[in-house]
Amino acid sequence: MAEHTKLQRNNKVWQVLSFLVLAAYGVACFYLHYMQSIQPAEYENRYFQSDLPYHISMIIEDGWYYSFTAYVYQILYVLGGNSGVLIAVFLTGMSVGTVLLTKKFLALEDGAKEKELSLTVQALMCNLVMAFFLPLAGKYRYVSYQNGNLWHNSTYLVMRLIGMATLLYYFRLEKTYGERISAKNWFILTALLAVGTGVKPSFLTVFAPALALKLLWDLFHRVRFRQIFLLGCTVLPSLGVMLWQNAVLFGQDTGNGFHFAPWYTFSLHADRPKAAVLCSLAFPLVVVLFSLKKIFSDKQYFFAWMMTGIGFFEALLLAETGSRSRDGNFLWGYLFALFFLYVYSFRVFKEMLLTRREEKDTKVVSWIPVALCGLVFLYQLYCGVYFFLRLLGGETYFMFG
């Protein structure tokens, strides 16, 4: 009885510490987003630079709506006394919520128990890690590379949270969809996809093709066509939402469009684009190098790499024309896929570490892969924390090394 009481007390301590870690990150995010919201919507402004003032201005002053967040921002702006304070609270919730969803993907199965604080810290690290900064590849710490973690684009932050929730729900559904999909589950997944697309269509551009390839594989492996058709239909409402957004963003009156332009987007700010791409993928590449068998046995790990590959080729081959030609908007789907790939690669890294411990392997050569993965991650984590702290100081995201 005494041991049980002690265990409960310890669990509460870990939960409190976990809450404090999340709260500290939340306070930092609120400060950052609030400072972003009060900046003038001028290109010359480089203090707490972000897209947020432009997004607010487009809604409040221009009445221009292309994302579901516009309606949310309009309500929060009015409720906040015509200020961005509640919008900053909302975006903070998105960032903290993403950390909480990250924890769900990092929690190992097979009875492996981890303290709440440990999981929270791991999830927070995955929400801070950034590209392997190498000045020869790109002199700008952020824009020269591709990163799943960023704080300057509000629609991405909202889309990322909904995208993680969608993947979490999809993976649960995927385990049994071949036998049965309930109406409730079908509508929830469909709603998540439609809302996420309405916020920013980029998630759908990497998820839908990956889902199509997965369903095609299942079709040739004797999964009933009816079940494949039902799961595939979950994306149809999202395609309708995307058509509306396409009309707003690329209508004839906008002067915007897109074209085939290999390497254009990756070359906008990188000195050596190919090296910058590899630096952006450093940790997942090192992990997969030592876990090739895992990628074929773990469906979620394979799906993460498949989305990343699709997102990479979309960003590699396509670019916008008109006033948005230098915005690199075809990167957003790839950036989300990178974020999820980093999260799942960290999970695989944890499994590698746990296996070495369970086997009690004392050979130095056996620990080299784990050590190499760990060192790469730690350097990229340092790059991310350093970047975030400088953002909190008001620097532009075009910061040099």
Side-chain angles (χ1 to χ4, degrees), residues 10 45 53 74-76 115 118 132 147 157 207 226 228-229 279 292 294 326 328 340 371 395:
N10 288 340
N45 178 58
Q74 188 173 47
I75 294 171
L76 293 177
K115 291 183 174 64
S118 176
F132 193 107
N147 294 281
L157 293 174
F207 176 80
R226 177 179 178 274
I228 291 173
F229 179 76
C279 287
L292 283 174
K294 178 74 173 177
R326 294 188 60 82
F340 183 65
E395 284 198 56

Side-chain angles (χ1 to χ4, degrees), residues 143 263-270 273 325-328:
V143 296
W263 285 106
Y264 171 80
T265 300
F266 289 118
S267 303
L268 285 173
H269 305 291
S325 62
R326 294 188 60 82
D327 293 349

Side-chain angles (χ1 to χ4, degrees), residues 29-49:
C29 287
F30 171 76
Y31 172 74
L32 178 61
H33 294 312
Y34 177 70
M35 293 303 294
Q36 290 172 344
S37 74
I38 62 176
Q39 303 307 312
E42 300 173 358
Y43 179 77
E44 291 77 11
N45 178 58
R46 297 288 182 176
Y47 185 64
F48 284 102
Q49 183 186 14

Side-chain angles (χ1 to χ4, degrees), residues 2-153:
E3 290 183 2
H4 179 69
T5 303
K6 184 179 179 181
L7 182 62
Q8 285 184 322
R9 189 183 303 116
N10 288 340
N11 286 338
K12 288 181 179 179
V13 170
W14 292 122
Q15 288 174 358
V16 170
L17 291 174
S18 175
F19 172 80
L20 291 176
V21 168
L22 277 176
Y25 179 61
V27 169
C29 287
F30 171 76
Y31 172 74
L32 178 61
H33 294 312
Y34 177 70
M35 293 303 294
Q36 290 172 344
S37 74
I38 62 176
Q39 303 307 312
E42 300 173 358
Y43 179 77
E44 291 77 11
N45 178 58
R46 297 288 182 176
Y47 185 64
F48 284 102
Q49 183 186 14
S50 77
D51 297 338
L52 189 55
Y54 301 98
H55 290 166
I56 296 174
S57 176
M58 284 189 298
I59 300 157
I60 304 303
E61 298 178 13
D62 303 330
W64 195 58
Y65 302 86
Y66 75 96
S67 167
F68 288 172
T69 55
Y71 302 98
V72 176
Y73 288 179
Q74 188 173 47
I75 294 171
L76 293 177
Y77 187 82
V78 174
L79 291 177
N82 294 332
S83 76
V85 62
L86 292 184
I87 295 175
V89 171
F90 173 71
L91 293 176
T92 298
M94 296 296 103
S95 297
V96 173
T98 303
V99 176
L100 294 174
L101 288 180
T102 301
K103 287 173 62 176
K104 292 186 178 294
F105 282 103
L106 293 179
L108 297 177
E109 299 173 357
D110 304 323
K113 294 182 179 180
E114 297 178 87
K115 291 183 174 64
E116 187 74 15
L117 178 62
S118 176
L119 270 177
T120 300
V121 171
Q122 292 169 31
L124 184 56
M125 289 192 301
C126 288
N127 279 261
L128 289 170
V129 66
M130 295 185 76
F132 193 107
F133 177 64
L134 186 66
L136 289 175
K139 60 187 176 183
Y140 299 108
R141 280 193 167 267
Y142 165 62
V143 296
S144 292
Y145 304 87
Q146 299 83 53
N147 294 281
N149 290 316
L150 51 92
W151 296 267
H152 78 276
N153 187 275

Side-chain angles (χ1 to χ4, degrees), residues 121-301:
V121 171
Q122 292 169 31
L124 184 56
M125 289 192 301
C126 288
N127 279 261
L128 289 170
V129 66
M130 295 185 76
F132 193 107
F133 177 64
L134 186 66
L136 289 175
K139 60 187 176 183
Y140 299 108
R141 280 193 167 267
Y142 165 62
V143 296
S144 292
Y145 304 87
Q146 299 83 53
N147 294 281
N149 290 316
L150 51 92
W151 296 267
H152 78 276
N153 187 275
S154 64
T155 52
Y156 174 80
L157 293 174
V158 181
M159 179 205 72
R160 185 175 62 168
L161 174 73
I162 299 173
M164 288 293 280
T166 303
L167 286 176
L168 188 66
Y169 198 84
Y170 163 71
F171 287 136
R172 290 175 179 172
L173 190 63
E174 192 272 337
K175 294 178 181 179
T176 58
Y177 97 96
E179 297 300 323
R180 182 177 179 273
I181 301 178
S182 69
K184 175 185 174 182
N185 290 338
W186 189 91
F187 279 111
I188 291 175
L189 181 60
T190 301
L192 284 170
L193 285 168
V195 173
T197 303
V199 169
K200 202 177 189 74
S202 308
F203 170 71
L204 191 71
T205 62
V206 292
F207 176 80
L211 176 63
L213 291 173
K214 167 67 170 62
L215 295 179
L216 184 62
W217 171 270
D218 288 348
L219 182 63
F220 287 100
H221 287 76
R222 299 183 179 181
V223 176
R224 288 183 297 169
F225 176 77
R226 177 179 178 274
Q227 299 305 110
I228 291 173
F229 179 76
L230 283 174
L231 186 55
C233 284
T234 57
V235 305
L236 293 181
S238 302
L239 295 178
V241 174
M242 187 178 287
L243 289 175
W244 161 68
Q245 290 171 321
N246 184 73
V248 174
L249 295 173
F250 300 106
Q252 292 182 353
D253 297 334
T254 65
N256 298 323
F258 50 90
H259 64 141
F260 182 75
W263 285 106
Y264 171 80
T265 300
F266 289 118
S267 303
L268 285 173
H269 305 291
D271 298 294
R272 292 173 176 79
K274 297 178 179 64
V277 167
L278 292 176
C279 287
S280 303
L281 279 164
F283 177 66
L285 286 175
V286 175
V287 172
V288 78
L289 179 67
F290 299 111
S291 58
L292 283 174
K293 292 182 179 179
K294 178 74 173 177
I295 201 172
F296 296 107
S297 62
D298 188 326
K299 292 181 179 179
Q300 296 183 25
Y301 192 31

